[in-house]
Amino acid sequence: MVPSKEVEEAEFEKYPNIWTCMCRAIIKEPDSKYFLSGITALEEGYPNPGIIPKNPGMARIGGRRLENPRYDDTFIRFHPAILERQPREYKRKNVGFVVHAHCWVLLNHIIPTTLIESKMEKFVRAARQYWRSRESWGANDYPFRILKRRQTRLRIRSGYWQWKDWDPKDSKYACDIYRSPLIVPEVQRAIESARKTKKERVQSRYSDVPLEVAIMIAELICPVDYTPADLKNTRNMLSVLQWTLPDWFWKRRLKEEIFIELNSLREANCSIDWQGLRLDLMGLVFDKNWYVFSGLPNRERVLGLMTGIKSNFLEKC
């Protein structure tokens, strides 16, 4: 047993798919009382009923097999909920709506999870209403999951067997949906680099150039459809001329809403090289070979789903 925060912040560098196993559950008890559970590892095909810590601040990452948790008040047994009506045999039993631990943290950037916990039944109704009109992501994608785990597939070309690397385009999601949407190490490294390179603004003979003129020049150096060379030239220009470009200039070139890490930096009013950080992030996004496998496309997709659920939830509140 460890604090749940340790799992929520875990990168799982050696086994990046493990995040999909680390889950919470919104438990509905027979008296219709809802509460948020702790975290446990629930692999595909996990036993029904499942066993999970009661305390939302704790996570179970190992230990002895729990055959009968009713003698241990630390855990609770539950039956996994489905989008349709629950089977009759679950009527007087605990039912659990399972959610990834990393996705629960991500959800807090769309809807405060403290608000969700105070109105848990309304949130569950909103989520079920949203998913009933859509296909639950990954639920019917078991062959793709097997393909992803193997990382390769066998095919015939020119009369001989050849191994082909897995391509996310083989999935209807067009991205690696088993890469964590919360922890993206390269983004964290870019932020740390921007912290270290923060420098005091030096007065330049070009510092007093009217902002309109500076923007016109910057847009020529770094168009909306930029290249790595454009990024390098923009970085050199800003370093020499000591210009500070407005936020809207960067937002036209970088989808900042998917970089949730920036929100906490703004709230903390951190001393950071914002323009250098944005250039670094633009460089990451430009590299399509990295981007597709980075977890950011998965994050963008999940945030979109959560925004849809938020609309239903606020209507019920």
Side-chain angles (χ1 to χ4, degrees), residues 216-238:
M216 289 176 63
I217 296 173
E219 288 186 325
L220 289 173
I221 300 296
C222 185
V224 173
D225 296 324
Y226 58 85
T227 67
D230 295 331
L231 296 181
K232 181 178 179 181
N233 292 335
T234 304
R235 194 186 300 274
N236 291 337
M237 177 189 70
L238 296 176

mmCIF file of all heavy atoms in Angstrom, residues 216-238:
data_model
loop_
_atom_site.group_PDB
_atom_site.id
_atom_site.type_symbol
_atom_site.label_atom_id
_atom_site.label_comp_id
_atom_site.label_asym_id
_atom_site.label_seq_id
_atom_site.Cartn_x
_atom_site.Cartn_y
_atom_site.Cartn_z
ATOM 1 N N MET A 216 4.987 42.075 -37.074
ATOM 2 C CA MET A 216 5.082 41.893 -38.532
ATOM 3 C C MET A 216 6.356 41.147 -38.895
ATOM 4 O O MET A 216 6.350 40.227 -39.720
ATOM 5 C CB MET A 216 5.039 43.256 -39.228
ATOM 6 C CG MET A 216 3.673 43.933 -39.188
ATOM 7 S SD MET A 216 3.714 45.587 -39.910
ATOM 8 C CE MET A 216 4.168 45.196 -41.600
ATOM 9 N N ILE A 217 7.468 41.530 -38.253
ATOM 10 C CA ILE A 217 8.745 40.859 -38.522
ATOM 11 C C ILE A 217 8.701 39.413 -38.027
ATOM 12 O O ILE A 217 9.130 38.485 -38.716
ATOM 13 C CB ILE A 217 9.899 41.633 -37.858
ATOM 14 C CG1 ILE A 217 10.023 43.030 -38.489
ATOM 15 C CG2 ILE A 217 11.208 40.858 -37.981
ATOM 16 C CD1 ILE A 217 11.016 43.937 -37.792
ATOM 17 N N ALA A 218 8.155 39.225 -36.811
ATOM 18 C CA ALA A 218 8.097 37.877 -36.226
ATOM 19 C C ALA A 218 7.243 36.946 -37.077
ATOM 20 O O ALA A 218 7.567 35.758 -37.233
ATOM 21 C CB ALA A 218 7.547 37.951 -34.809
ATOM 22 N N GLU A 219 6.148 37.459 -37.641
ATOM 23 C CA GLU A 219 5.295 36.610 -38.471
ATOM 24 C C GLU A 219 5.967 36.221 -39.783
ATOM 25 O O GLU A 219 5.671 35.168 -40.344
ATOM 26 C CB GLU A 219 3.968 37.328 -38.744
ATOM 27 C CG GLU A 219 3.080 37.388 -37.502
ATOM 28 C CD GLU A 219 1.711 37.959 -37.789
ATOM 29 O OE1 GLU A 219 1.619 38.867 -38.644
ATOM 30 O OE2 GLU A 219 0.739 37.509 -37.155
ATOM 31 N N LEU A 220 6.875 37.066 -40.256
ATOM 32 C CA LEU A 220 7.657 36.703 -41.445
ATOM 33 C C LEU A 220 8.688 35.634 -41.109
ATOM 34 O O LEU A 220 8.930 34.713 -41.888
ATOM 35 C CB LEU A 220 8.353 37.943 -42.015
ATOM 36 C CG LEU A 220 7.453 38.982 -42.700
ATOM 37 C CD1 LEU A 220 8.267 40.224 -43.060
ATOM 38 C CD2 LEU A 220 6.819 38.388 -43.952
ATOM 39 N N ILE A 221 9.311 35.767 -39.932
ATOM 40 C CA ILE A 221 10.346 34.807 -39.511
ATOM 41 C C ILE A 221 9.719 33.466 -39.134
ATOM 42 O O ILE A 221 10.262 32.400 -39.431
ATOM 43 C CB ILE A 221 11.155 35.367 -38.318
ATOM 44 C CG1 ILE A 221 11.839 36.674 -38.704
ATOM 45 C CG2 ILE A 221 12.179 34.349 -37.836
ATOM 46 C CD1 ILE A 221 12.869 36.532 -39.800
ATOM 47 N N CYS A 222 8.554 33.529 -38.444
ATOM 48 C CA CYS A 222 7.904 32.296 -37.967
ATOM 49 C C CYS A 222 6.438 32.295 -38.383
ATOM 50 O O CYS A 222 5.564 32.716 -37.616
ATOM 51 C CB CYS A 222 8.027 32.184 -36.445
ATOM 52 S SG CYS A 222 7.385 30.623 -35.771
ATOM 53 N N PRO A 223 6.116 31.829 -39.584
ATOM 54 C CA PRO A 223 4.717 31.760 -40.018
ATOM 55 C C PRO A 223 3.948 30.705 -39.222
ATOM 56 O O PRO A 223 4.536 29.921 -38.472
ATOM 57 C CB PRO A 223 4.833 31.373 -41.495
ATOM 58 C CG PRO A 223 6.144 30.666 -41.591
ATOM 59 C CD PRO A 223 7.052 31.320 -40.597
ATOM 60 N N VAL A 224 2.630 30.683 -39.397
ATOM 61 C CA VAL A 224 1.798 29.700 -38.685
ATOM 62 C C VAL A 224 2.211 28.283 -39.074
ATOM 63 O O VAL A 224 2.321 27.400 -38.226
ATOM 64 C CB VAL A 224 0.307 29.950 -38.993
ATOM 65 C CG1 VAL A 224 -0.547 28.826 -38.396
ATOM 66 C CG2 VAL A 224 -0.136 31.296 -38.441
ATOM 67 N N ASP A 225 2.468 28.048 -40.355
ATOM 68 C CA ASP A 225 2.980 26.750 -40.814
ATOM 69 C C ASP A 225 4.502 26.812 -40.814
ATOM 70 O O ASP A 225 5.141 27.014 -41.840
ATOM 71 C CB ASP A 225 2.449 26.438 -42.213
ATOM 72 C CG ASP A 225 0.944 26.277 -42.230
ATOM 73 O OD1 ASP A 225 0.406 25.745 -41.250
ATOM 74 O OD2 ASP A 225 0.312 26.702 -43.221
ATOM 75 N N TYR A 226 5.072 26.636 -39.641
ATOM 76 C CA TYR A 226 6.510 26.833 -39.454
ATOM 77 C C TYR A 226 7.296 25.552 -39.727
ATOM 78 O O TYR A 226 6.737 24.451 -39.822
ATOM 79 C CB TYR A 226 6.783 27.310 -38.021
ATOM 80 C CG TYR A 226 6.272 26.362 -36.958
ATOM 81 C CD1 TYR A 226 7.027 25.271 -36.532
ATOM 82 C CD2 TYR A 226 5.014 26.547 -36.384
ATOM 83 C CE1 TYR A 226 6.556 24.390 -35.574
ATOM 84 C CE2 TYR A 226 4.526 25.661 -35.426
ATOM 85 C CZ TYR A 226 5.307 24.592 -35.024
ATOM 86 O OH TYR A 226 4.828 23.716 -34.080
ATOM 87 N N THR A 227 8.599 25.720 -39.824
ATOM 88 C CA THR A 227 9.541 24.608 -39.992
ATOM 89 C C THR A 227 10.557 24.674 -38.858
ATOM 90 O O THR A 227 10.646 25.690 -38.152
ATOM 91 C CB THR A 227 10.276 24.709 -41.340
ATOM 92 O OG1 THR A 227 11.131 25.877 -41.304
ATOM 93 C CG2 THR A 227 9.296 24.818 -42.499
ATOM 94 N N PRO A 228 11.360 23.621 -38.657
ATOM 95 C CA PRO A 228 12.413 23.687 -37.635
ATOM 96 C C PRO A 228 13.370 24.856 -37.849
ATOM 97 O O PRO A 228 13.839 25.470 -36.884
ATOM 98 C CB PRO A 228 13.124 22.338 -37.789
ATOM 99 C CG PRO A 228 12.076 21.420 -38.303
ATOM 100 C CD PRO A 228 11.239 22.257 -39.223
ATOM 101 N N ALA A 229 13.658 25.181 -39.107
ATOM 102 C CA ALA A 229 14.530 26.321 -39.395
ATOM 103 C C ALA A 229 13.880 27.623 -38.937
ATOM 104 O O ALA A 229 14.561 28.518 -38.405
ATOM 105 C CB ALA A 229 14.851 26.383 -40.884
ATOM 106 N N ASP A 230 12.557 27.733 -39.108
ATOM 107 C CA ASP A 230 11.833 28.921 -38.652
ATOM 108 C C ASP A 230 11.938 29.059 -37.129
ATOM 109 O O ASP A 230 12.113 30.167 -36.602
ATOM 110 C CB ASP A 230 10.365 28.849 -39.053
ATOM 111 C CG ASP A 230 10.172 28.884 -40.566
ATOM 112 O OD1 ASP A 230 11.030 29.486 -41.250
ATOM 113 O OD2 ASP A 230 9.171 28.305 -41.049
ATOM 114 N N LEU A 231 11.844 27.956 -36.426
ATOM 115 C CA LEU A 231 11.940 27.991 -34.962
ATOM 116 C C LEU A 231 13.326 28.452 -34.525
ATOM 117 O O LEU A 231 13.451 29.259 -33.599
ATOM 118 C CB LEU A 231 11.632 26.605 -34.383
ATOM 119 C CG LEU A 231 10.218 26.058 -34.603
ATOM 120 C CD1 LEU A 231 10.071 24.688 -33.956
ATOM 121 C CD2 LEU A 231 9.176 27.020 -34.054
ATOM 122 N N LYS A 232 14.351 27.941 -35.187
ATOM 123 C CA LYS A 232 15.713 28.334 -34.849
ATOM 124 C C LYS A 232 15.927 29.826 -35.103
ATOM 125 O O LYS A 232 16.511 30.534 -34.268
ATOM 126 C CB LYS A 232 16.709 27.513 -35.667
ATOM 127 C CG LYS A 232 18.167 27.836 -35.365
ATOM 128 C CD LYS A 232 19.097 26.956 -36.182
ATOM 129 C CE LYS A 232 20.555 27.294 -35.887
ATOM 130 N NZ LYS A 232 21.482 26.447 -36.693
ATOM 131 N N ASN A 233 15.447 30.315 -36.244
ATOM 132 C CA ASN A 233 15.601 31.737 -36.565
ATOM 133 C C ASN A 233 14.835 32.616 -35.578
ATOM 134 O O ASN A 233 15.305 33.690 -35.183
ATOM 135 C CB ASN A 233 15.112 32.007 -37.988
ATOM 136 C CG ASN A 233 16.007 31.369 -39.037
ATOM 137 O OD1 ASN A 233 17.190 31.122 -38.796
ATOM 138 N ND2 ASN A 233 15.448 31.081 -40.209
ATOM 139 N N THR A 234 13.646 32.161 -35.168
ATOM 140 C CA THR A 234 12.846 32.929 -34.207
ATOM 141 C C THR A 234 13.538 32.988 -32.853
ATOM 142 O O THR A 234 13.580 34.040 -32.203
ATOM 143 C CB THR A 234 11.452 32.293 -34.049
ATOM 144 O OG1 THR A 234 10.819 32.201 -35.325
ATOM 145 C CG2 THR A 234 10.582 33.121 -33.118
ATOM 146 N N ARG A 235 14.112 31.870 -32.437
ATOM 147 C CA ARG A 235 14.825 31.840 -31.157
ATOM 148 C C ARG A 235 16.009 32.811 -31.178
ATOM 149 O O ARG A 235 16.238 33.564 -30.221
ATOM 150 C CB ARG A 235 15.297 30.413 -30.863
ATOM 151 C CG ARG A 235 15.752 30.208 -29.419
ATOM 152 C CD ARG A 235 16.341 28.811 -29.250
ATOM 153 N NE ARG A 235 15.379 27.769 -29.561
ATOM 154 C CZ ARG A 235 14.512 27.276 -28.688
ATOM 155 N NH1 ARG A 235 14.494 27.748 -27.455
ATOM 156 N NH2 ARG A 235 13.687 26.307 -29.049
ATOM 157 N N ASN A 236 16.767 32.809 -32.285
ATOM 158 C CA ASN A 236 17.916 33.715 -32.401
ATOM 159 C C ASN A 236 17.456 35.172 -32.422
ATOM 160 O O ASN A 236 18.072 36.048 -31.794
ATOM 161 C CB ASN A 236 18.709 33.398 -33.668
ATOM 162 C CG ASN A 236 19.414 32.057 -33.592
ATOM 163 O OD1 ASN A 236 19.683 31.557 -32.494
ATOM 164 N ND2 ASN A 236 19.711 31.462 -34.737
ATOM 165 N N MET A 237 16.376 35.444 -33.139
ATOM 166 C CA MET A 237 15.865 36.812 -33.237
ATOM 167 C C MET A 237 15.450 37.336 -31.862
ATOM 168 O O MET A 237 15.815 38.467 -31.479
ATOM 169 C CB MET A 237 14.665 36.841 -34.182
ATOM 170 C CG MET A 237 13.998 38.209 -34.298
ATOM 171 S SD MET A 237 12.427 38.144 -35.224
ATOM 172 C CE MET A 237 11.388 37.251 -34.055
ATOM 173 N N LEU A 238 14.709 36.537 -31.100
ATOM 174 C CA LEU A 238 14.243 36.978 -29.791
ATOM 175 C C LEU A 238 15.397 37.142 -28.813
ATOM 176 O O LEU A 238 15.371 38.019 -27.941
ATOM 177 C CB LEU A 238 13.215 35.987 -29.240
ATOM 178 C CG LEU A 238 11.909 35.864 -30.044
ATOM 179 C CD1 LEU A 238 11.016 34.784 -29.448
ATOM 180 C CD2 LEU A 238 11.176 37.198 -30.083
#
